[in-house]
Structure formats: structure tokens, C-alpha cells
Amino acid sequence: QVQLVESGGGLVQPGGSLRLSCAASRTIFSINHVHWYRQAPGKERELVATITRGGSTSYADSVKGRFTISRDNAKTTGYLQMNSLKPEDTAVYYCKLSAYDSWGQGTQVTVSS
């Protein structure tokens, strides 16, 4: 199993920025793809961004150009830099490793004026 701890969420105004972190408990983090998901109120969890073990990235259309996913294998930590935040980005954000079923508790992101 891999223990995941998401952090960095908070309350920001539209146009603001947040940097989310996903700390993993295992060094095998380095050979796993990292995914960021979010779940907005009343909606199903959706995939936001992915970074492969080789560093290739992909994004949902809704966040493309605003969010950047990255990873630091030495720290077994993934990141999601979120810029130009919109109210529709409001959700609980979760990270996940591709080969594991474990989820962290998530971190709340609220974008409101």
C-alpha cells in the first residue's frame, strides 16, 4: 500500500493561485504515474491531470493552460500548480498513483469572490 497525503488547498479569489502537494509514503512512487482528480459538490470524481513516470503530462481541457502537474521523485511528492483559478475549480482534490487503489483524504480548494 501507499499512503498519500494531499495538502495545499484553501480559499482563494478568482484569478488566484494555489499549489497542491501529494506526499507518498513509498519510494516506488518514482515508477508510478501520478494523477490528480477532483470532486466538486454533487459531481463524480474527475481526472484533472496526469504525469507519467517519464515526465509526460496531460490535462483535462477545463484546466489546460492554467494548471501544471509535476513530480519530485526524490521527495516522493507530486504537485499541482493551479493558476488563474475559477469558481468552477472548487472541489476536493485528490492524488492517486496508477498502480494502487489508495486515495488520500483530499484537500479542499474553494474559489470564491
Side-chain angles (χ1 to χ4, degrees):
Q1 68 176 29
V2 176
Q3 184 68 48
L4 302 173
V5 179
E6 300 95 339
S7 62
L11 174 63
V12 297
Q13 295 189 11
S17 297
L18 286 172
R19 188 195 193 202
L20 307 184
S21 297
C22 172
S25 62
R26 300 284 299 279
T27 56
I28 57 172
F29 170 92
S30 63
I31 62 173
N32 277 263
H33 306 338
V34 178
H35 310 277
W36 281 97
Y37 290 78
R38 67 186 180 188
Q39 188 164 21
K43 296 184 178 294
E44 293 188 346
R45 195 167 299 182
E46 64 174 344
L47 179 63
V48 174
T50 295
I51 184 167
T52 71
R53 62 182 181 179
S56 297
T57 60
S58 61
Y59 301 91
D61 288 342
S62 59
V63 307
K64 200 169 299 180
R66 300 187 297 120
F67 291 10
T68 302
I69 187 171
S70 62
R71 64 192 298 161
D72 186 333
N73 290 337
K75 297 180 179 179
T76 65
T77 300
Y79 303 95
L80 186 68
Q81 177 67 47
M82 307 186 299
N83 299 324
S84 302
L85 284 162
K86 304 175 180 179
E88 51 263 45
D89 296 318
T90 295
V92 178
Y93 284 72
Y94 303 87
C95 67
K96 186 181 184 299
L97 304 186
S98 58
Y100 295 87
D101 293 328
S102 300
W103 297 88
Q105 294 301 308
T107 185
Q108 175 71 51
V109 172
T110 302
V111 185
S112 176
S113 60

